[in-house]
């Protein structure tokens, strides 16, 4: 942790700011050319839903087929009835618990600090009890499964898009995930962010202003020199209210806001760059194009998971 923090406090020099480029008739699509891009990670950079659902389903089958596992009959019957769709619901509840936990701590600084890894383990144990699956895995297996969030597969455009954006900008994670989790995701997904920044560094969780402003200060910049990249409008709204520019990249199943709320955000125009899931959209690659970076032929064009 200390080594990482020291590295973050003395980053490599920023690329020189050049005038907005014109590529195929597209100019820099933000009001102020940014120096740094902050990336939400869960759902924006990685497809947590597919990875977690598949891991839970595979682990259940492994337990049911194990020659050494001693499962109670009711647990065996219950687990045997679980389909991939059921595990998908389980995964969503796990994710929803994470959202509730981070928002509660962000709103009340008096609450004791707990890392995302600690929360994921406690939440998994609670869900196994709720779903009447306690005993399906040993304590060691439950702990190992709780760390699946360190191995989430990226969206197909994430690694290539980040590599393109690194040509002109600093690219930094800005996630509620802890430093070790984000470092593992960077390695697993070959997403070469120039910096790993976590809410953990600032003693709170998004959407606390401490996280966004702490990240800006960590890089020695002003809010207007930064842009938040996220698939969640609530994340972008919190950053925008502090003067950070907003880049919205739609991802399947990630937006919590209602259709009417999304339309209102679009009509109001406070999102500075909006990348939809429509035909021709390439996620982070499209972001790079819109920010004036020439994209080589053959760069991934689909938005599905790499899984």
């Amino acid at each position: 942790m200390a080594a990482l923090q020291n590295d973050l406090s003395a980053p490599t020099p920023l690329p020189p700011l050049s005038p907005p480029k014109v590529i195929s008739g597209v100019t820099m699509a933000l009001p102020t050319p940014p120096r740094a891009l902050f990336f939400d990670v869960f759902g924006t950079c990685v497809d947590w839903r597919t990875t977690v659902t598949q891991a839970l389903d595979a682990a259940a089958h492994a337990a049911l087929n194990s020659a050494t596992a001693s499962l109670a009959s009711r647990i065996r019957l219950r687990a045997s009835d679980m389909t991939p769709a059921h595990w998908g619901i389980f995964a969503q509840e796990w994710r929803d618990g994470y959202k509730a936990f981070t928002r509660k701590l962000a709103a009340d600084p008096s609450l004791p600090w707990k890392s995302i890894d600690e929360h994921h383990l406690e939440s998994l144990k609670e869900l196994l009890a709720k779903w009447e699956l306690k005993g399906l895995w040993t304590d060691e297996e439950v702990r190992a499964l709780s760390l699946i969030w360190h191995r989430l597969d990226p969206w197909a455009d994430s690694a290539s898009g980040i590599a393109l954006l690194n040509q002109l900008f600093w690219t930094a994670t800005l996630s509620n995930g802890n430093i070790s989790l984000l470092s593992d995701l960077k390695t697993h997904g070959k997403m070469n962010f120039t910096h790993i920044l976590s809410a953990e560094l600032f003693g709170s969780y998004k959407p606390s202003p401490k996280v966004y402003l702490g990240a800006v200060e960590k890089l020695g910049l002003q809010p207007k020199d930064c842009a938040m990249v996220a698939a969640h409008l609530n994340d972008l709204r919190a950053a925008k209210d502090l003067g950070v520019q907003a880049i919205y990249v739609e991802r399947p199943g990630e937006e919590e806001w209602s259709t009417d709320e999304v339309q209102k955000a679009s009509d109001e125009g406070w999102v500075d760059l909006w990348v939809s899931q429509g035909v021709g959209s390439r996620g982070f690659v499209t972001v790079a194009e819109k920010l004036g970076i020439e994209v080589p032929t053959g760069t991934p064009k689909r938005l599905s998971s790499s899984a």
Side-chain angles (χ1 to χ4, degrees):
M1 173 72 76
L4 275 168
Q5 288 178 306
N6 290 336
D7 178 62
L8 290 170
S9 64
T12 54
L14 277 168
L17 254 186
S18 56
K21 295 183 178 182
V22 179
I23 303 296
S24 302
V26 176
T27 56
M28 174 72 73
L30 292 179
T32 303
R35 304 299 301 270
L37 304 177
F38 296 131
F39 287 78
D40 172 65
V41 176
F42 296 135
T44 301
C45 297
V46 297
D47 177 11
W48 66 267
R49 186 174 284 102
T50 299
T51 309
V52 173
T53 299
Q54 290 178 348
L56 289 165
D57 188 50
H61 281 288
L64 289 170
N65 295 325
S66 172
T68 58
S70 179
L71 301 179
S73 297
R74 62 179 183 82
I75 298 297
R76 183 174 291 279
L77 288 171
R78 176 68 173 150
S80 297
D81 287 338
M82 293 287 287
T83 66
H86 289 124
W87 286 118
I89 297 170
F90 188 107
Q92 185 65 60
E93 290 189 8
W94 201 0
R95 169 71 170 165
D96 291 344
Y98 156 92
K99 293 177 186 177
F101 160 71
T102 54
R103 289 170 185 170
K104 183 177 180 180
L105 197 147
D108 187 354
S110 69
L111 293 174
W113 175 260
K114 185 186 298 179
S115 75
I116 294 302
D117 278 350
E118 291 173 313
H119 164 74
H120 276 152
L121 177 58
E122 292 179 8
S123 180
L124 178 56
K125 290 178 178 178
E126 291 170 0
L127 283 171
L128 288 172
K130 175 186 173 182
W131 282 67
E132 299 179 0
L133 289 166
K134 186 176 180 181
L136 178 60
W137 299 299
T138 66
D139 288 346
E140 292 77 11
E141 289 169 338
V142 170
R143 181 175 295 278
L145 189 54
S146 75
L147 297 175
I148 186 58
W149 298 88
H150 287 237
R151 302 184 301 279
L152 304 176
D153 290 325
W155 298 108
D157 58 86
S158 293
S160 56
I162 291 164
L164 287 167
L165 290 163
N166 284 343
Q167 296 177 32
L168 287 184
F169 314 105
W170 275 345
T171 57
T173 62
L174 188 56
S175 168
N176 287 333
N178 39 284
I179 288 287
S180 63
L181 185 157
L182 296 175
S183 297
D184 286 346
L185 287 179
K186 173 183 175 177
T187 300
H188 177 76
K190 298 180 173 61
M191 297 180 290
N192 292 322
F193 297 103
T194 61
H195 297 76
I196 298 295
L197 295 178
S198 163
E200 180 180 36
L201 297 171
F202 313 112
S204 188
Y205 286 119
K206 294 188 295 181
S208 168
K210 289 173 62 177
V211 177
Y212 305 100
L213 295 178
V216 170
E217 182 181 4
K218 179 68 75 172
L219 295 186
L221 300 173
Q222 297 298 316
K224 66 180 178 61
D225 299 320
C226 305
M228 186 76 208
V229 183
H232 314 105
L233 286 167
N234 63 324
D235 195 357
L236 293 175
R237 179 79 268 181
K240 185 70 173 178
D241 287 345
L242 299 169
V244 175
Q245 299 182 79
I247 300 176
Y248 185 47
V249 180
E250 295 182 2
R251 299 294 196 187
E254 281 305 303
E255 186 50 70
E256 296 179 44
W257 286 15
S258 69
T259 301
D260 288 344
E261 289 172 321
V262 172
Q263 186 60 52
K264 185 172 185 288
S266 178
D267 293 343
E268 291 176 349
W270 57 264
V271 173
D272 299 296
L273 174 57
W274 192 302
V275 177
S276 70
Q277 298 180 64
V279 176
S281 175
R282 294 179 285 173
F284 292 171
V285 175
T286 297
V287 173
E289 287 180 319
K290 295 293 186 181
L291 297 187
I293 296 173
E294 189 167 10
V295 175
T297 302
T299 304
K301 296 184 179 182
R302 61 190 178 88
L303 285 179
S304 61
S305 169
S306 62

